[in-house]
Amino acid sequence: MKEFKQLEAWFITGSQHLYGEETLKKVAGHSKIISKAFNDAATIPVKVVFKPTVKSPEEIYAICQEANSSANCIGVITWMHTFSPAKMWINGLKILQKPLCHLHTQFNRDIPWSDIDMDFMNLNQSAHGDREFGFIMTRMHKRRKVIVGHWQSESVQQQINTWSRAAAAWHDWQGARFVRFGDNMRFVAVTDGDKVEAEMKFGYSVNTHGVGDLVNMINKVTEKQIDNLCIQYNEEYKLAASLKNGEENYASLREAAKIELGLRKFLKEGNFKGFTDTFEDLHGMTQLPGIAAQRLMADGYGFAAEGDWKTAALVRAMKVMATGLKGGNSFMEDYTYHFDPKNEMVLGSHMLEICPSIAKNKPSCEIHPLGIGGKADPVRLVFNVNGGEALNASIIDMGNRFRLLVSEVKAVAPEKDLPKLPVARVLWKPYPDMSTGCAAWILAGGAHHTCFSQNLTPEHLEDFADMAGIEVVFIDKETKLRDFKNQLRWNELSMR
């Protein structure tokens, strides 16, 4: 994934002409200091750009229009240093299409007890100026993030970090293209959905290409390219003995490399940010892409199996959000359960395609039968995953809206070896407990496909859902099923 420094969050301060030029100069000076501090902060990954103080409806409209048309602007951070009458903001907010973060702060941290006078009070009015601004956004039903605290505090800067990562992912979705090789897995409901509504709501498009289009690209791969990638496999992974040069399955490794090279070229030439495939439609392909899907995910592409385009897009978004953070994000599936009353757990995995960004140690490159799809044995990376706090997220189509479901979990190391399980895998304990966590997921209509994250928090996804204007539901340590069911009912009524 690319770093964020080419992306910009604009710092916009509101005031008015009432206070005179001397006060407005001080407002601008304070705003420059704050925006520079944010821009220099290691915590905040994007470039924070100071913008001149806006003091009239015309200036506000112009800056919102400029933000909309800027290719690098991913959102705006607003602050009312003085009182900025909110009717001035109506037309600007009506047209603003970029995410908005309302920073409720003030330049000074402390009240200057011995020196405070009316000049100080007239200059430092954010305590009520931001309330005026907040009212008009609430009146206009404008979704935004509100951050409260002194601008130098670690907590405030960390919240801006979280918001900016979500804004970067939202920015990445606008105009993004995802390709579906083949269609949805036959008869499956949750992985399907309304692609037209998704493009209107989210900004990305999903279109199908026949597997034959991909096969044509795969067949153009040269032997030299395959040689080089097989060498790379051998260097980066623990290559199974049968896959080594001259051994019985070396041809299968070469076929896997050929598929990866063709798939990678197809995605690059089509400017796609993610893809789906399905084992039910592999005409012309020797094996289902295993290591290819895993490595492409590790490079930042979104992926989901069986035509699940919503999860592929979410995997991409979560990878963008997590750029530069320790840990990884991967396509995932709740596969099977461990119902030991003293140690209940979920085993997460998939047939092949788990991203090595979440691997505990150096993955092993192996070949095994798939047992489904009727194709040759596919090559894949096999590994365990570190324990620790994590989450699973899923976007589902509820018919009249999209719902983002987020479940906090605690990943745990396998208690025993899994010598006969030939796939990457992770174990986790759902919060608040196995029974409540799984029941809540099912009651909310959560999919069996998710994005598993080691490095994002519910706050990242809450900010992202607000930017998308969609429902978000959380399952966490505080979840109680009776309250959770009521929340789902209330959401249903409020979002009709």
Side-chain angles (χ1 to χ4, degrees):
M1 300 299 298
K2 295 180 180 179
E3 293 299 322
F4 287 144
K5 278 302 180 183
Q6 79 277 12
L7 302 178
E8 299 175 353
W10 289 7
F11 190 80
I12 302 171
T13 305
S15 187
Q16 59 178 318
H17 287 292
L18 175 69
Y19 303 105
E21 287 305 311
E22 189 61 33
T23 296
L24 290 174
K25 285 179 182 178
K26 291 178 180 178
V27 168
H30 291 171
S31 300
K32 286 180 181 178
I33 291 170
I34 294 174
S35 61
K36 184 179 187 304
F38 287 163
N39 191 52
D40 294 342
T43 309
I44 300 174
V46 302
K47 185 177 180 181
V48 178
V49 178
F50 165 80
K51 290 294 177 178
T53 308
V54 289
K55 308 170 291 296
S56 68
E58 293 76 18
E59 290 176 354
I60 292 167
Y61 187 90
I63 196 68
C64 290
Q65 195 173 45
E66 186 184 350
N68 287 342
S69 61
S70 170
N72 291 333
C73 176
I74 62 168
V76 298
I77 303 170
T78 56
W79 171 46
M80 304 303 111
H81 191 315
T82 63
F83 198 79
S84 181
K87 287 175 67 176
M88 296 197 307
W89 285 86
I90 292 174
N91 286 333
L93 290 174
K94 280 171 64 177
I95 67 163
L96 183 64
Q97 298 169 348
K98 299 292 176 78
L100 191 152
C101 173
H102 181 189
L103 178 62
H104 185 41
T105 190
Q106 62 186 28
F107 185 70
N108 58 297
R109 192 193 70 174
D110 303 326
I111 293 174
W113 302 105
S114 60
D115 298 323
I116 188 168
D117 56 16
M118 284 312 300
D119 287 339
F120 180 92
M121 296 282 276
N122 285 331
L123 174 62
N124 298 283
Q125 297 185 33
S126 54
H128 61 282
D130 277 324
R131 282 170 166 77
E132 167 78 354
F133 183 58
F135 162 75
I136 201 63
M137 287 192 288
T138 298
R139 177 70 174 79
M140 295 175 67
H141 305 286
K142 188 77 177 176
R143 292 212 186 194
R144 75 280 193 190
K145 185 181 183 74
V146 178
I147 300 175
V148 179
H150 192 252
W151 55 276
Q152 289 179 312
S153 77
E154 182 179 343
S155 171
V156 164
Q157 294 189 9
Q158 183 56 53
Q159 289 178 76
I160 294 174
N161 168 28
T162 299
W163 172 83
S164 64
R165 288 179 174 278
W170 179 248
H171 180 77
D172 182 75
W173 261 12
Q174 306 315 300
R177 304 177 68 197
F178 293 88
V179 59
R180 217 176 178 202
F181 295 113
D183 199 357
N184 194 54
M185 181 179 171
R186 288 187 283 276
F187 305 113
V188 177
V190 75
T191 53
D192 217 331
D194 190 335
K195 297 191 290 293
V196 174
E197 181 64 23
E199 187 163 353
M200 291 191 295
K201 191 72 176 173
F202 300 134
Y204 64 73
S205 64
V206 181
N207 287 292
T208 296
H209 279 259
V211 177
D213 296 336
L214 174 58
V215 171
N216 287 337
M217 191 72 76
I218 291 171
N219 288 337
K220 294 176 182 178
V221 173
T222 68
E223 293 298 312
K224 182 63 176 176
Q225 288 175 309
I226 297 172
D227 290 341
N228 291 338
L229 187 51
C230 286
I231 292 170
Q232 189 176 340
Y233 288 164
N234 189 50
E235 291 172 347
E236 294 185 10
Y237 313 114
K238 294 181 287 186
L239 204 61
S242 69
L243 292 174
K244 292 185 179 293
N245 194 351
E247 300 300 326
E248 58 180 313
N249 288 321
Y250 182 61
S252 296
L253 184 73
R254 293 183 65 82
E255 186 63 30
K258 183 179 179 181
I259 291 171
E260 179 184 336
L261 290 162
L263 183 50
R264 191 176 290 274
K265 186 176 182 183
F266 191 102
L267 296 174
K268 185 176 181 180
E269 290 191 359
N271 195 29
F272 295 109
K273 292 183 176 180
F275 69 103
T276 71
D277 58 24
T278 174
F279 63 89
E280 289 182 322
D281 190 354
L282 296 173
H283 298 292
M285 296 182 68
T286 303
Q287 56 181 266
L288 179 65
I291 190 172
Q294 292 177 294
R295 283 169 51 85
L296 284 162
M297 264 193 289
D299 287 342
Y301 285 97
F303 171 80
E306 293 126 29
D308 187 358
W309 51 271
K310 297 186 299 298
T311 301
L314 182 61
V315 169
R316 167 68 184 193
M318 290 173 68
K319 282 184 172 290
V320 172
M321 280 184 238
T323 297
L325 298 179
K326 184 179 179 181
N329 292 267
S330 175
F331 168 64
M332 187 60 66
E333 181 172 86
D334 293 59
Y335 223 95
T336 196
Y337 291 144
H338 185 63
F339 270 136
D340 177 355
K342 296 181 180 178
N343 189 27
E344 293 182 315
M345 295 181 288
V346 178
L347 175 64
S349 186
H350 204 257
M351 295 185 297
L352 297 172
E353 311 97 341
I354 303 299
C355 179
S357 67
I358 65 172
K360 180 179 180 180
N361 296 311
K362 188 175 184 178
S364 173
C365 184
E366 303 177 11
I367 182 170
H368 301 278
L370 188 59
I372 192 170
K375 290 291 182 176
D377 300 347
V379 175
R380 81 290 303 269
L381 300 176
V382 178
F383 52 84
N384 289 324
V385 176
N386 271 326
E389 298 299 317
L391 60 80
N392 283 299
S394 171
I395 285 186
I396 48 180
D397 187 341
M398 299 299 295
N400 64 335
R401 68 189 186 281
F402 290 98
R403 171 181 287 166
L404 175 59
L405 185 58
V406 182
S407 175
E408 295 183 58
V409 303
K410 184 176 180 64
V412 295
E415 293 182 345
K416 299 180 180 181
D417 291 336
L418 299 161
K420 294 185 178 180
L421 185 62
V423 289
R425 57 274 176 145
V426 56
L427 288 157
W428 66 76
K429 295 174 179 289
Y431 286 123
D433 55 68
M434 182 84 159
S435 176
T436 305
C438 292
W441 187 274
I442 289 170
L443 285 166
H448 56 285
H449 288 167
T450 63
C451 180
F452 174 85
S453 177
Q454 297 171 320
N455 49 25
L456 297 178
T457 67
E459 186 182 357
H460 288 98
L461 294 167
E462 183 176 16
D463 288 352
F464 187 73
D466 277 340
M467 293 168 191
I470 62 172
E471 176 189 11
V472 60
V473 179
F474 298 98
I475 304 170
D476 55 26
K477 295 176 183 178
E478 307 303 320
T479 297
K480 293 179 174 58
L481 279 183
R482 184 176 297 165
D483 295 339
F484 188 81
K485 287 189 281 188
N486 280 334
Q487 180 189 353
L488 295 178
R489 294 185 187 109
W490 297 331
N491 287 1
E492 185 67 38
L493 289 172
S494 69
M495 295 184 177
R496 281 182 177 173

